[in-house]
Amino acid sequence: MFQGIITIFDNKDKMLSHLKKKSYEANMAEFQNMHGHYFEEMVQYVEDAENKEDAAQEIGECLAKEVGNAYKNKKGKISPRVQSDLNFFMIYYVFPAILLTEHTDANMVADGICEVWKKSFEDSNIGYTDYDSLYNSFREKIFGIF
């Protein structure tokens, strides 16, 4: 399911570095251009499923498994710094990209991923919001930090 989805994290460090309003807008446009098909597949998968909530959970489990496999160290853990970056990336890019599909099941997909993410990773009690809310929260820098 969602073959190669881990590639959405390929430019994570660059996309989180020196995050400002202008760079966030450009980063999101590039992110959607390169990876938007995954988010369209997600909402389509849920739309086609008999049990939409289970399908959204499956998507979350698939994503969490791929992230865990890619980012766990030799001891089987993700370092707190890396986990923090992954959490921010999910909040700034992945969830907004899902919601930008404007599909009727987009929130269900985001809810499913968010729920599984919280259970799968330490210190990952995250939430999500839409792109416009995040974009409008920037002045020149997000919340005046970074």
Side-chain angles (χ1 to χ4, degrees), residues 6-13 35 71 89:
I6 195 64
T7 61
I8 66 175
F9 294 93
D10 283 353
N11 293 323
K12 166 183 63 66
D13 294 336
H35 305 293
Y71 289 98
F89 193 81

Side-chain angles (χ1 to χ4, degrees), residues 38-104:
Y38 288 116
F39 308 112
E40 293 293 338
E41 287 176 39
M42 288 177 185
V43 294
Q44 190 62 52
Y45 182 76
V46 170
E47 180 181 319
D48 295 343
E50 283 186 38
N51 185 324
K52 293 179 185 236
E53 289 180 9
D54 285 350
Q57 292 281 315
E58 280 182 58
I59 293 168
E61 290 165 4
C62 175
L63 185 59
K65 179 181 177 188
E66 292 294 319
V67 168
N69 289 339
Y71 289 98
K72 284 183 180 173
N73 59 26
K74 292 178 184 177
K75 295 180 181 178
K77 298 209 178 238
I78 297 175
S79 76
R81 171 74 174 136
V82 171
Q83 187 62 61
S84 177
D85 286 350
L86 290 167
N87 292 346
F88 278 122
F89 193 81
M90 292 294 292
I91 293 165
Y92 290 135
Y93 293 102
V94 176
F95 291 123
I98 293 167
L99 298 178
L100 281 169
T101 65
E102 297 182 349
H103 191 278
T104 55

